[in-house]
Coordinates of all heavy atoms in Angstrom, one line a residue:
D1219 N -14.6 -63.5 55.8 CA -13.5 -63.7 56.6 C -13.4 -62.7 57.7 O -13.9 -61.6 57.6 CB -12.2 -63.6 55.8 CG -11.9 -64.8 54.9 OD1 -12.6 -65.8 55.1 OD2 -11.1 -64.7 54.0
I1220 N -12.9 -63.1 58.9 CA -12.6 -62.1 59.9 C -11.3 -61.4 59.5 O -10.3 -62.0 59.3 CB -12.4 -62.8 61.3 CG1 -13.7 -63.5 61.7 CG2 -11.9 -61.9 62.4 CD1 -13.6 -64.4 62.9
R1221 N -11.4 -60.1 59.4 CA -10.3 -59.3 59.0 C -9.4 -58.8 60.2 O -9.9 -58.3 61.1 CB -10.9 -58.0 58.3 CG -11.7 -58.4 57.0 CD -12.5 -57.2 56.5 NE -11.6 -56.1 56.2 CZ -11.0 -55.9 55.0 NH1 -11.1 -56.8 54.1 NH2 -10.3 -54.8 54.8
V1222 N -8.1 -59.2 60.1 CA -7.2 -58.9 61.2 C -6.1 -58.0 60.7 O -5.5 -58.2 59.7 CB -6.6 -60.2 61.7 CG1 -5.7 -60.0 62.9 CG2 -7.7 -61.2 62.1
A1223 N -5.8 -57.0 61.5 CA -4.6 -56.1 61.3 C -3.6 -56.4 62.5 O -4.0 -56.6 63.6 CB -5.0 -54.6 61.3
I1224 N -2.4 -56.3 62.2 CA -1.3 -56.6 63.1 C -0.5 -55.4 63.3 O -0.1 -54.7 62.3 CB -0.4 -57.7 62.6 CG1 -1.2 -59.0 62.3 CG2 0.8 -58.0 63.6 CD1 -0.4 -60.0 61.5
F1225 N -0.2 -55.0 64.6 CA 0.7 -53.9 64.9 C 1.8 -54.6 65.8 O 1.6 -54.9 66.9 CB 0.0 -52.8 65.7 CG -0.8 -52.0 64.8 CD1 -2.1 -52.4 64.5 CD2 -0.4 -50.8 64.2 CE1 -2.9 -51.6 63.7 CE2 -1.2 -50.0 63.4 CZ -2.5 -50.4 63.1
E1226 N 3.0 -54.8 65.2 CA 4.0 -55.5 65.9 C 5.4 -55.0 65.3 O 5.6 -55.1 64.1 CB 3.9 -57.0 65.7 CG 5.1 -57.9 66.1 CD 5.4 -57.8 67.5 OE1 4.6 -58.1 68.4 OE2 6.6 -57.2 67.8
D1227 N 6.3 -54.5 66.1 CA 7.5 -54.0 65.6 C 8.6 -55.1 65.3 O 9.5 -54.8 64.5 CB 8.1 -52.9 66.5 CG 8.4 -53.5 67.9 OD1 7.7 -54.3 68.4 OD2 9.4 -53.0 68.5
N1228 N 8.5 -56.2 65.8 CA 9.4 -57.3 65.6 C 9.0 -58.0 64.2 O 8.0 -58.6 64.1 CB 9.4 -58.3 66.7 CG 10.3 -59.5 66.5 OD1 10.2 -60.2 65.6 ND2 11.2 -59.6 67.5
Y1229 N 9.9 -57.9 63.3 CA 9.6 -58.4 61.9 C 9.3 -59.8 61.9 O 8.4 -60.3 61.2 CB 10.8 -58.1 61.0 CG 10.6 -58.8 59.6 CD1 9.7 -58.2 58.7 CD2 11.2 -60.0 59.3 CE1 9.5 -58.8 57.5 CE2 11.0 -60.6 58.1 CZ 10.1 -60.0 57.2 OH 9.9 -60.7 56.0
L1230 N 10.1 -60.7 62.6 CA 9.8 -62.1 62.6 C 8.5 -62.5 63.2 O 7.8 -63.3 62.6 CB 11.0 -62.8 63.3 CG 12.3 -62.8 62.6 CD1 13.4 -63.5 63.5 CD2 12.3 -63.4 61.2
L1231 N 8.1 -61.8 64.3 CA 6.8 -62.1 64.9 C 5.7 -61.6 64.0 O 4.7 -62.3 63.7 CB 6.7 -61.4 66.2 CG 7.4 -62.0 67.4 CD1 7.3 -61.2 68.6 CD2 6.8 -63.4 67.7
R1232 N 5.9 -60.4 63.4 CA 4.8 -59.8 62.5 C 4.6 -60.7 61.3 O 3.5 -61.0 60.9 CB 5.3 -58.4 62.1 CG 4.2 -57.6 61.3 CD 4.5 -56.2 61.1 NE 5.7 -56.0 60.2 CZ 6.9 -55.6 60.7 NH1 7.1 -55.3 62.0 NH2 7.9 -55.5 59.8
D1233 N 5.7 -61.1 60.7 CA 5.6 -62.0 59.5 C 5.0 -63.4 59.9 O 4.2 -63.9 59.2 CB 7.0 -62.2 58.9 CG 6.9 -63.0 57.6 OD1 6.2 -62.5 56.7 OD2 7.5 -64.0 57.5
G1234 N 5.4 -63.9 61.1 CA 4.8 -65.1 61.5 C 3.3 -65.1 61.8 O 2.6 -65.9 61.3
Y1235 N 2.9 -64.0 62.4 CA 1.5 -63.8 62.6 C 0.7 -63.6 61.3 O -0.4 -64.2 61.1 CB 1.2 -62.5 63.5 CG 1.6 -62.6 64.9 CD1 2.1 -61.5 65.6 CD2 1.6 -63.8 65.6 CE1 2.6 -61.5 66.9 CE2 2.0 -63.9 67.0 CZ 2.5 -62.7 67.6 OH 2.9 -62.8 68.9
F1236 N 1.3 -62.9 60.4 CA 0.7 -62.7 59.1 C 0.5 -64.0 58.3 O -0.6 -64.3 57.8 CB 1.7 -61.8 58.2 CG 1.2 -61.5 56.8 CD1 0.3 -60.4 56.6 CD2 1.6 -62.3 55.8 CE1 -0.2 -60.2 55.3 CE2 1.1 -62.0 54.5 CZ 0.2 -61.0 54.3
Q1237 N 1.6 -64.8 58.3 CA 1.5 -66.1 57.7 C 0.4 -67.0 58.4 O -0.3 -67.7 57.7 CB 2.8 -66.9 57.7 CG 3.9 -66.1 56.9 CD 3.6 -65.9 55.5 OE1 3.0 -66.8 54.8 NE2 4.1 -64.8 54.9
L1238 N 0.4 -67.0 59.7 CA -0.5 -67.8 60.5 C -1.9 -67.4 60.2 O -2.8 -68.3 59.9 CB -0.2 -67.7 62.0 CG -1.0 -68.5 62.9 CD1 -0.8 -70.0 62.7 CD2 -0.8 -68.2 64.4
I1239 N -2.2 -66.1 60.3 CA -3.6 -65.7 60.1 C -4.0 -65.9 58.7 O -5.2 -66.4 58.5 CB -3.6 -64.1 60.4 CG1 -3.5 -63.9 61.9 CG2 -5.0 -63.6 59.9 CD1 -3.2 -62.5 62.3
N1240 N -3.2 -65.7 57.7 CA -3.6 -65.9 56.3 C -3.7 -67.4 56.0 O -4.4 -67.8 55.0 CB -2.7 -65.2 55.3 CG -3.0 -63.8 55.2 OD1 -4.2 -63.4 55.3 ND2 -2.0 -63.0 54.9
G1241 N -3.1 -68.2 56.8 CA -3.2 -69.7 56.5 C -4.3 -70.4 57.2 O -4.6 -71.6 57.1
M1242 N -5.1 -69.6 58.0 CA -6.3 -70.2 58.7 C -7.6 -69.9 58.0 O -7.8 -68.7 57.6 CB -6.3 -69.6 60.1 CG -5.2 -70.0 61.0 SD -5.2 -69.2 62.6 CE -6.8 -69.4 63.2
P1243 N -8.3 -70.9 57.7 CA -9.6 -70.6 57.0 C -10.5 -69.7 57.8 O -10.6 -69.8 59.1 CB -10.3 -72.0 56.9 CG -9.1 -73.0 57.1 CD -8.1 -72.3 57.9
G1244 N -11.1 -68.8 57.1 CA -12.0 -67.8 57.8 C -11.4 -66.6 58.4 O -12.0 -65.7 59.0
F1245 N -10.1 -66.4 58.1 CA -9.3 -65.2 58.5 C -8.5 -64.7 57.4 O -8.1 -65.4 56.5 CB -8.3 -65.6 59.7 CG -9.0 -66.0 61.0 CD1 -9.4 -67.2 61.2 CD2 -9.2 -65.0 61.9 CE1 -10.0 -67.6 62.4 CE2 -9.8 -65.3 63.1 CZ -10.2 -66.6 63.4
A1246 N -8.4 -63.3 57.4 CA -7.6 -62.7 56.4 C -6.8 -61.5 57.1 O -7.4 -60.7 57.8 CB -8.4 -62.1 55.3
C1247 N -5.5 -61.5 56.9 CA -4.7 -60.4 57.4 C -4.8 -59.2 56.5 O -4.4 -59.4 55.3 CB -3.2 -60.8 57.6 SG -2.3 -59.5 58.5
V1248 N -5.3 -58.1 56.9 CA -5.6 -57.0 56.0 C -4.5 -55.9 56.2 O -4.6 -54.8 55.5 CB -7.0 -56.5 56.2 CG1 -8.0 -57.5 55.7 CG2 -7.2 -56.0 57.6
G1249 N -3.6 -56.0 57.1 CA -2.6 -55.0 57.3 C -1.6 -55.5 58.4 O -2.0 -56.2 59.4
A1250 N -0.3 -55.3 58.2 CA 0.7 -55.7 59.1 C 1.7 -54.5 59.2 O 2.4 -54.1 58.3 CB 1.5 -56.9 58.7
Y1251 N 1.7 -53.9 60.4 CA 2.4 -52.6 60.6 C 3.5 -52.7 61.7 O 3.3 -53.4 62.7 CB 1.4 -51.5 60.9 CG 0.3 -51.4 60.0 CD1 -1.0 -51.9 60.3 CD2 0.5 -50.9 58.7 CE1 -2.1 -51.9 59.4 CE2 -0.6 -50.9 57.8 CZ -1.9 -51.3 58.2 OH -2.9 -51.3 57.3
D1252 N 4.6 -52.0 61.5 CA 5.7 -52.1 62.5 C 5.6 -51.0 63.6 O 6.4 -50.9 64.5 CB 7.0 -52.1 61.8 CG 7.3 -50.8 61.1 OD1 6.4 -49.9 60.9 OD2 8.5 -50.7 60.6
N1253 N 4.6 -50.1 63.4 CA 4.4 -49.0 64.4 C 2.9 -48.5 64.4 O 2.2 -48.9 63.5 CB 5.4 -47.9 64.2 CG 5.2 -47.2 62.9 OD1 4.1 -46.6 62.6 ND2 6.2 -47.2 62.0
A1254 N 2.6 -47.6 65.3 CA 1.2 -47.1 65.4 C 1.2 -45.6 64.9 O 0.2 -45.0 65.1 CB 0.7 -47.2 66.8
E1255 N 2.2 -45.2 64.2 CA 2.2 -43.9 63.6 C 1.1 -43.9 62.5 O 0.9 -44.9 61.9 CB 3.5 -43.5 63.0 CG 4.7 -43.5 64.0 CD 4.5 -42.5 65.2 OE1 4.0 -41.4 65.0 OE2 4.9 -42.9 66.3
D1256 N 0.4 -42.8 62.3 CA -0.7 -42.7 61.4 C -1.7 -43.8 61.6 O -2.3 -44.4 60.7 CB -0.2 -42.8 59.9 CG 0.8 -41.7 59.6 OD1 0.6 -40.6 60.0 OD2 1.8 -42.0 58.9
L1257 N -2.0 -44.1 62.9 CA -2.8 -45.2 63.3 C -4.3 -45.1 62.7 O -4.8 -46.1 62.2 CB -2.9 -45.2 64.8 CG -3.9 -46.2 65.4 CD1 -3.4 -47.6 65.3 CD2 -4.0 -45.9 66.9
V1258 N -4.9 -43.9 62.8 CA -6.2 -43.8 62.3 C -6.3 -44.1 60.8 O -7.2 -44.8 60.3 CB -6.8 -42.4 62.6 CG1 -8.1 -42.2 61.9 CG2 -6.9 -42.2 64.1
F1259 N -5.3 -43.6 60.0 CA -5.3 -43.9 58.6 C -5.1 -45.4 58.3 O -5.8 -45.9 57.5 CB -4.1 -43.1 57.9 CG -3.9 -43.5 56.5 CD1 -4.7 -43.0 55.5 CD2 -2.9 -44.4 56.2 CE1 -4.5 -43.3 54.2 CE2 -2.7 -44.8 54.8 CZ -3.5 -44.3 53.8

């Protein structure tokens, strides 16, 4: 799977992207974050 991380502060958009990505064959959402603090980690 193509591993996707989301950085989006709007909860509804972030959750929508999470659901969309995980619902598509060949993709997996591996992280959904509301900010870029501790970005490298």
Side-chain angles (χ1 to χ4, degrees):
D1219 287 345
I1220 296 172
R1221 299 168 55 86
V1222 181
I1224 302 164
F1225 287 84
E1226 169 59 63
D1227 62 323
N1228 180 299
Y1229 172 77
L1230 292 176
L1231 284 174
R1232 187 173 64 253
D1233 186 57
Y1235 293 145
F1236 180 87
Q1237 299 297 329
L1238 181 67
I1239 291 165
N1240 279 331
M1242 293 175 50
F1245 291 86
C1247 187
V1248 294
Y1251 309 105
D1252 63 355
N1253 64 59
E1255 302 298 323
D1256 300 321
L1257 176 67
V1258 173
F1259 173 80

